Amino acid sequence: DAFKVKIDATLSNVTIPGVVEGMTLSGGPLALKVGDGAFSVSGNGKLDGRDIILNWHEYFDSTGQPYAAQVKAKIIADQALRHKFGVMLDEYMTGTVAADVTYTEFSNDTSSLEMTGDLNTLMLHIKPFQFEKPAGVAGKISLKGKLEKGELKRIEDLNLETTGLSVRAAELSFGPLNGKATELLSGKLPNAVIGKTSVAANFEVTPQNILKVSATGPQFDAGPFMNADKTKKPDAPAETKPPQQPMMISLSADKIL
């Protein structure tokens, strides 16, 4: 026969492995509640050594429930944490994001991620447009992610706003490429502003690692592409840089600067 258990307790100096994507929750004090076929853990702790404020709720049997487990958290998302969720965008970002995250696991080996974040401490780099956002410049980001068996597959409803850069309702797709399990494969940017450029763009990365871009819009600034080699002084020593990703661009713009 089924029996009911109710627990209301405080946990201190605990270690709970495998809370999210194999990461360990530790510290406390954390409030533990058990009842109605589920348990919850909430409070202040550390997730793989990072400070976190969380509310973790999980069903013992998720049949007929809206999800199997859900974690709502406030955390500083650094590079290592982004990699845990398959966000391999190191070419475009450096630093940390102060994030509010909701991570939800379902019973069919899929999961979802919703995040809003403060970009103040994050650096952004978009090399083809010679765009740099340094740390200390305000900005905000929001997105929704879809994962399968722990691998990031899609980012949807991506919105980003900072000085000189605006992206709204963008979509990114991820998958295996060049021997890596999770790489950026394609994307749709229906409304993007980068410096003086304002376009809608679709892109994909070919198996040969060529970035193919198709863009249309009212204005495109060709200056960063035309002047890429002119900023270097003639007598400056040669720099050792990683090779740039080859690009193929198809463009239709009302005005080219």
Side-chain angles (χ1 to χ4, degrees):
D1 292 340
F3 61 92
K4 296 182 178 180
V5 175
K6 287 189 176 292
I7 298 175
D8 193 339
T10 299
L11 306 176
S12 299
N13 300 317
V14 298
T15 299
I16 307 174
V19 174
V20 176
E21 296 297 323
M23 291 181 284
T24 297
L25 176 66
S26 61
L30 296 166
L32 169 66
K33 294 182 182 295
V34 179
D36 299 323
F39 71 86
S40 66
V41 176
S42 60
N44 299 311
K46 290 185 178 293
L47 186 67
D48 269 11
R50 304 170 188 85
D51 289 336
I52 186 172
I53 303 172
L54 88 160
N55 189 323
W56 168 24
H57 182 262
E58 185 165 339
Y59 291 100
F60 294 115
D61 181 359
S62 61
T63 303
Q65 303 297 343
Y67 54 78
Q70 186 176 77
V71 177
K72 296 182 178 180
K74 293 181 179 291
I75 194 169
I76 301 299
D78 55 19
Q79 180 193 58
L81 185 63
R82 293 194 295 269
H83 285 188
K84 285 286 188 179
F85 290 96
V87 181
M88 305 295 185
L89 297 175
D90 298 344
E91 182 179 351
Y92 304 99
M93 61 179 65
T94 308
T96 61
V97 177
D100 288 87
V101 179
T102 298
Y103 176 79
T104 306
E105 292 184 349
F106 303 97
S107 56
N108 59 353
D109 280 336
T110 65
S111 51
S112 67
L113 177 71
E114 296 187 23
M115 188 201 81
T116 60
D118 183 343
L119 300 180
N120 185 66
T121 55
L122 188 75
M123 293 176 281
L124 294 172
H125 332 279
I126 306 178
K127 294 178 182 178
F129 289 87
Q130 296 184 18
F131 175 84
E132 294 281 338
K133 175 210 161 307
V137 174
K140 57 185 179 180
I141 187 173
S142 63
L143 60 84
K144 298 177 181 178
K146 304 293 184 183
L147 299 89
E148 296 178 8
K149 296 182 179 179
E151 300 287 347
L152 181 65
K153 296 299 181 182
R154 292 183 63 81
I155 288 178
E156 303 172 342
D157 199 18
L158 169 61
N159 298 281
L160 186 153
E161 193 80 35
T162 188
T163 302
L165 176 63
S166 173
V167 176
R168 284 181 287 179
E171 298 180 5
L172 305 176
S173 296
F174 298 81
L177 182 68
N178 296 328
K180 297 181 179 179
T182 305
E183 286 287 296
L184 180 61
L185 296 182
S186 63
K188 298 179 180 179
L189 288 73
N191 192 320
V193 176
I194 306 174
K196 298 177 182 178
T197 293
S198 178
V199 294
N202 296 335
F203 69 86
E204 64 174 319
V205 181
T206 72
Q208 295 76 32
N209 199 37
I210 298 172
L211 179 61
K212 297 177 66 175
V213 182
S214 175
T216 61
Q219 185 165 288
F220 185 85
D221 183 8
F225 298 87
M226 303 295 291
N227 300 324
D229 296 325
K230 295 181 180 180
T231 55
K232 181 180 175 181
K233 297 179 180 179
D235 298 330
E239 297 182 34
T240 302
K241 295 182 178 181
Q244 294 290 323
Q245 185 178 31
M247 299 179 64
M248 295 176 60
I249 301 177
S250 173
L251 172 66
S252 175
D254 297 333
K255 185 177 181 180
I256 297 180
L257 305 179

